[in-house]
Amino acid sequence: MRSFTKAALAALVTVSSVSAAAPAFAQVAGLGVVDLQEAVRRSNAFTTAMTQIQTTYKAQIDQANTRRNAIQTELKPQVDAFEAARRAPNANQQALQTQYQGIQQREQAAQQELGRILAPVQLAQAYVNEQIVRQLEPALDRVMTARRLSVILPPDATVKSLPAAQVTNDLIAELNRSVPSVQTTPPAGWQPGGQQQGAAAPAAAPAAPAAKPRGR
């Protein structure tokens, strides 16, 4: 089969009986549809690891939630003042722009702060994800062999498919067999993509602390 591209792998969290699936699958001429992200996300290794991470990093998660709530409380009067000024007759556009930029800058600073707090959590999640993603291609190879498939497509590349063409559950079952568990603590200096410490850290993506003002 054609190997995954690095970009496809980065986008990512018992095998069905061949005798039972083969007659129906013959109707789709060796074509399978699989959602790689769903397969990773629903695998036993991923779900177990995410539960472990929630426990291991509870202090950081609680701290981030506390700070997020505090920042939302801090920003709400500013957002409300902006919305009131924006709705006022003959609103001063330059003043609105200044207010809007001030809110944006505070939100960006808040996201960076939350990202620093959650960095260990995100690193552990990335480490879990990468361990499973590394096994996706060989696991999918085995599913393709068992189901006699020659082509695999993602769900968004199909208009319609027969139920027999869906092999995401087969891939999940194969991942559960071949990757029953993964480590949640990255080695010292580990970074996503096999990079060592000192390379760019993973981008933080905490929830925005306050609703974006509408308009300027």
Side-chain angles (χ1 to χ4, degrees):
M1 66 172 287
R2 178 175 297 177
S3 297
F4 296 133
T5 63
K6 291 183 179 179
L9 291 178
L12 308 169
V13 215
T14 56
V15 177
S16 301
S17 168
V18 176
S19 61
F25 210 80
Q27 301 175 36
V28 293
L31 183 88
V33 179
V34 65
D35 188 327
L36 297 179
Q37 290 183 337
E38 181 182 352
V40 171
R41 187 174 62 250
R42 288 175 50 201
S43 68
N44 290 341
F46 185 88
T47 55
T48 300
M50 291 302 105
T51 299
Q52 293 173 346
I53 287 173
Q54 291 288 321
T55 300
T56 302
Y57 297 97
K58 184 179 185 303
Q60 289 89 338
I61 294 171
D62 288 348
Q63 180 186 1
N65 287 335
T66 298
R67 283 298 299 142
R68 184 180 291 112
N69 292 336
I71 292 165
Q72 287 175 340
T73 300
E74 171 193 333
L75 278 174
K76 187 178 185 306
Q78 299 178 37
V79 174
D80 290 345
F82 172 84
E83 292 294 343
R86 186 177 63 85
R87 290 191 298 267
N90 302 318
N92 186 315
Q93 295 302 313
Q94 184 174 356
L96 286 175
Q97 178 70 15
T98 300
Q99 283 181 276
Y100 182 74
Q101 289 177 344
I103 294 171
Q104 278 191 318
Q105 290 171 0
R106 182 64 187 98
E107 287 184 334
Q108 290 169 359
Q111 289 176 355
Q112 291 173 357
E113 178 186 355
L114 294 174
R116 287 191 294 270
I117 296 171
L118 292 172
V121 183
Q122 294 171 338
L123 192 65
Q125 291 173 336
Y127 184 52
V128 167
N129 188 73
E130 187 165 301
Q131 291 173 82
I132 301 173
V133 166
R134 199 178 298 133
Q135 301 300 321
L136 267 181
E137 184 168 6
L140 188 55
D141 282 344
R142 290 188 290 272
V143 171
M144 292 181 71
T145 298
R147 294 290 296 267
R148 298 182 181 180
L149 306 179
S150 56
V151 177
I152 289 289
L153 294 176
D156 59 4
T158 60
V159 176
K160 186 177 181 180
S161 62
L162 295 173
Q166 303 296 327
V167 294
T168 299
N169 286 340
D170 297 66
L171 181 56
I172 293 169
E174 182 59 32
L175 285 174
N176 290 344
R177 187 195 67 78
S178 58
V179 196
S181 63
V182 292
Q183 299 296 316
T184 59
T185 303
W190 183 88
Q191 292 292 333
Q195 299 174 1
Q196 295 301 310
Q197 196 167 11
K212 291 285 186 181
R214 298 187 302 276
R216 298 191 174 188

